[in-house]
Amino acid sequence: MGSSTQSAFSLFVLSAALAGCASQGVQRSTAAPAGIPPPKLVVFMVVDGFPQEQVTKYYDQLSEGGLKRLIDRGAWFSNNHYSHATTYTGVGHATLLSCAHPYKHGVIGNDWLDKKTGARVYSTEDSRHTYLDEETPKHAGTSPFNMKVTTVGDELIYANGSSRVVTISGKDRSAIGLAGQLGTAYMHSPATGRFITSTYYMSDYPAWWKSYYESRPQDRYFGQMWTPLLPDESYARSAPDDRPWSTNYKGLGTKFPHPISGGAQTPSKGYYDAMLWTPYGDLLTLDFVKAAIEGENLGSNPAGVPDLLAISWTSHDYVHHLFGAESKQAHDHTLRLDRVFEDFFSYLDRRFGLDNVLITLSADHGFMNIPEYSASRRIDAGRIDPEKMIEAVNAHLWARFPSLDGKKVVTTWWNPTLYIDYKLVDGARLSRIDVEESAAAVLRDYPGVESVYTRNRLEAGQLPDTKMSRQVYLAWHQYLSGDIVVMNKPNWYLFAKPFGYAATHGSPWSYDTNVPLMMMGSRWVRPGKYANSEVVDLARTLAYVLNVRPPNGCEGRVLDEIVRTAPGR
């Protein structure tokens, strides 16, 4: 793993892991140092793009054995929030098991700009590694190199050397962010429909993986149609389908029923890609999860130590992007994902007994409603085009500083920041602060913009004493982030392509930050409804239960109000 250019951090983690692995042949004692022995298997679940409000909105239609089981028999924090402003997939997944904020873990977005080269950086790309047994697209996620901290899985392996950490997701950035430095990540390939990995993790697939894909299980859902699970009247609380602002993407259409063939005549790339944008993506994920549990023998570690399985369910996010969080499709997908969980929990119960498994659930971010839908309800909403915003800022700077006339001072946009060409500013012998403040002045009056933060003020800590300022500060990395942070007004869409999706996420508003936090495991967790928590508290609590040190960038607290410290207590 790694090369001569591997970071000092990664080399340290690797040497620590190898030191632990040297004792793998020795049977480790299963006795806990105090209190309750840790679980043999932790199932860490993430629903991509799952706002907290959907947990309660559809509660009466949930199955008894799925989400409702977690809510009623586990510990549920209903006022759980991300503390950072940049609620994107890569950021959330890097946060979830590291319990670190972006300014520490270094994953500041799904993408950002390398300030030295001017090139795009994808959050989990690493040119030294490629997809295993598949063509690797440009900017594909292949390693955790850009993560600067450890995760609970890393610390679990460091502690005993024998624990197995496996992560599975429809997105590479999700699986890799959860796997940390030492886990093994599997991510869905839209080219073949398989869950694949990269050369960072292994040089060849294990025998169980090869055997699993001999029968091409990814083809079993071809020809299916996504239809509503319940009668039409059951969706009265949601917006109807086939609205003019829904997005016809991947050949799925804008109303039920939705074909999942992707326009393909036989199982091929169009189908493999499209199906992940529907409930069939969850079924495909569940099939592979079961195969991984059995193939890796997770939860039955011969060394008697805990294993960690992390799963990120991707399709919910895609459904929201196409149809909005308020839609009939989002409603139906929540119910169908709930039935997938019911199937999965029943499987875990048969295999291990649920009392022997610790299950957690959260999300990488929430989701906004479609702006046009919000506007139809007399709420201020709209869409911001970043390219037009750049044009407006540059035009203002040309007028304010004639020596910059016609030059691209603000060069590009990567959510949610603008990048300034400081070499250009310095060459014109202008003050960087004057240019930043002048740009910020026009941005503060730009339609849909709530707040603006400049590099100088962020570096100097000169921020207003507001919650949003704290959110921005936790999300901004001095050496990686852009130069002017733009926060949109609530219900305003701010994304690279203003009409690429019907709805998006990424804001500091509660519909994006408020996500579920649930833990279920009767031996370790006191059931009940609890109030306040932060997402970073989940991994810190998990490390506590597992009797391992917290990840090195962790800023969460132990949720001691829910943790059992002795049998029956």
Side-chain angles (χ1 to χ4, degrees):
M1 183 181 77
S3 71
S4 60
T5 60
Q6 185 81 11
S7 69
F9 163 75
S10 296
L11 288 173
F12 167 76
V13 173
L14 180 59
S15 63
L18 291 174
C21 291
S23 62
Q24 285 189 19
V26 179
Q27 182 71 17
R28 181 178 168 86
S29 171
T30 59
I36 304 170
K40 295 295 181 66
L41 179 65
V42 173
V43 177
F44 188 93
M45 300 205 308
V46 183
V47 179
D48 198 324
F50 192 26
Q52 168 65 42
E53 57 103 1
Q54 290 182 337
V55 171
T56 52
K57 186 177 181 180
Y58 310 130
Y59 176 83
D60 60 308
Q61 296 176 338
L62 300 176
S63 65
E64 292 300 323
L67 278 168
K68 190 177 287 188
R69 185 197 292 260
L70 286 174
I71 297 166
D72 293 346
R73 303 186 198 179
W76 167 41
F77 288 83
S78 60
N79 192 39
N80 176 65
H81 287 263
Y82 276 100
S83 301
H84 59 251
T86 48
T87 45
Y88 301 110
T89 298
V91 184
H93 282 86
T95 299
L96 278 158
L97 273 171
S98 72
C99 46
H101 299 296
Y103 84 99
K104 274 192 174 180
H105 63 58
V107 179
I108 57 170
N110 291 341
D111 307 86
W112 58 88
L113 196 71
D114 185 320
K115 297 179 74 67
K116 293 181 179 179
T117 66
R120 169 196 171 190
V121 177
Y122 178 56
S123 59
T124 49
E125 73 174 274
D126 185 345
S127 60
R128 298 167 300 171
H129 299 283
T130 61
Y131 284 159
L132 187 57
D133 193 36
E134 282 202 15
E135 182 179 349
T136 308
K138 190 176 182 180
H139 300 300
T142 56
S143 99
F145 181 74
N146 292 318
M147 281 188 66
K148 304 180 182 304
V149 297
T150 61
T151 62
V152 171
D154 293 330
E155 299 298 343
L156 183 61
I157 293 172
Y158 169 78
N160 59 62
S162 300
S163 289
R164 290 165 295 207
V165 175
V166 175
T167 69
I168 298 166
S169 177
K171 297 177 182 177
D172 51 19
R173 59 185 177 271
S174 304
I176 292 169
L178 295 175
Q181 305 292 328
L182 299 174
T184 299
Y186 289 97
M187 43 272 192
H188 178 260
S189 165
T192 63
R194 305 180 299 179
F195 284 88
I196 62 172
T197 191
S198 85
T199 56
Y200 176 88
Y201 301 102
M202 62 186 74
S203 58
D204 192 17
Y205 286 104
W208 68 264
W209 187 96
K210 295 177 182 178
S211 175
Y212 176 72
Y213 279 112
E214 283 179 356
S215 63
R216 300 187 63 81
Q218 68 270 40
D219 295 350
R220 68 180 55 158
Y221 301 112
F222 183 76
Q224 299 294 315
M225 297 283 286
W226 176 16
T227 58
L229 182 68
L230 302 179
D232 283 347
E233 57 268 22
S234 301
Y235 300 93
R237 71 193 74 176
S238 301
D241 61 357
D242 199 26
R243 296 173 296 162
W245 44 76
S246 297
T247 304
N248 185 6
Y249 197 61
K250 307 289 181 181
L252 294 170
T254 60
K255 64 179 181 179
F256 285 111
H258 297 283
I260 66 162
S261 64
Q265 301 302 309
T266 59
S268 56
K269 184 176 180 179
Y271 154 70
Y272 299 136
D273 192 5
M275 72 173 306
L276 209 67
W277 296 68
T278 75
Y280 290 99
D282 301 318
L283 294 174
L284 187 78
T285 302
L286 179 61
D287 293 341
F288 185 75
V289 164
K290 292 177 180 178
I293 290 173
E294 294 168 19
E296 296 289 339
N297 206 21
L298 297 175
S300 303
N301 197 306
V305 295
D307 293 328
L308 172 63
L309 171 66
I311 311 157
S312 179
W313 307 87
T314 297
S315 299
H316 204 57
D317 173 79
Y318 288 159
V319 170
H320 284 152
H321 274 303
L322 301 191
F323 306 108
E326 74 282 4
S327 66
K328 181 178 180 180
Q329 286 87 347
H331 183 165
D332 188 71
H333 187 264
T334 304
L335 302 183
R336 288 189 173 274
L337 182 59
D338 168 64
R339 272 55 169 186
V340 169
F341 289 166
E342 182 177 41
D343 182 323
F344 184 38
F345 297 160
S346 295
Y347 168 84
L348 292 173
D349 197 20
R350 293 192 303 271
R351 188 168 178 86
F352 304 106
L354 276 184
D355 289 343
N356 297 310
V357 182
L358 177 62
I359 300 172
T360 75
L361 183 141
S362 192
D364 57 342
H365 54 76
F367 231 96
M368 72 182 303
N369 294 336
I370 295 176
E372 290 79 4
Y373 170 79
S374 295
S376 74
R377 298 170 66 87
R378 301 180 182 179
I379 296 172
D380 179 41
R383 295 176 186 264
I384 303 172
D385 186 337
E387 293 302 318
K388 291 182 179 179
M389 186 165 59
I390 289 174
E391 291 175 5
V393 174
N394 277 330
H396 172 79
L397 293 176
W398 296 340
R400 173 70 176 78
F401 305 101
S403 61
L404 297 176
D405 189 19
K407 298 174 182 177
K408 199 168 185 181
V409 188
V410 176
T411 61
T412 191
W413 161 274
W414 283 111
N415 301 322
T417 56
L418 295 168
Y419 289 79
I420 293 176
D421 186 343
Y422 285 119
K423 290 183 179 179
L424 189 63
V425 174
D426 295 343
R429 297 185 179 183
L430 295 172
S431 163
R432 292 186 178 190
I433 295 175
D434 288 348
V435 172
E436 287 177 11
E437 291 297 330
S438 185
V442 70
L443 285 167
R444 291 189 181 101
D445 291 331
Y446 199 85
V449 171
E450 175 76 15
S451 298
V452 182
Y453 301 83
T454 65
R455 171 170 289 278
N456 176 66
R457 292 185 180 274
L458 283 161
E459 289 181 338
Q462 298 174 344
L463 305 180
D465 186 15
T466 63
K467 179 182 178 181
M468 183 176 290
S469 292
R470 173 174 165 76
Q471 289 173 290
V472 169
Y473 193 77
L474 292 176
W476 190 80
H477 193 286
Q478 180 179 6
Y479 302 111
L480 300 173
S481 295
D483 307 309
I484 300 181
V485 180
V486 179
M487 292 286 102
N488 54 288
K489 290 181 178 179
N491 306 300
W492 279 74
Y493 179 113
L494 177 57
F495 202 63
K497 296 180 180 180
F499 296 97
Y501 293 130
T504 194
H505 50 87
S507 81
W509 303 107
S510 60
Y511 52 74
D512 278 340
T513 64
N514 186 202
V515 298
L517 191 160
M518 303 177 189
M519 298 184 73
M520 183 179 73
S522 59
R523 295 184 181 180
W524 308 278
V525 177
R526 295 188 183 95
K529 181 181 179 180
Y530 298 85
N532 302 320
S533 64
E534 296 183 62
V535 172
V536 291
D537 300 335
L538 177 56
R540 179 64 188 93
T541 304
L542 190 54
Y544 178 82
V545 171
L546 289 169
N547 293 318
V548 301
R549 67 186 184 184
N552 57 15
C554 185
E555 296 192 61
R557 71 177 180 92
V558 175
L559 297 168
D560 51 9
E561 60 266 46
I562 71 167
V563 176
R564 296 190 189 277
T565 56
R569 294 178 61 187

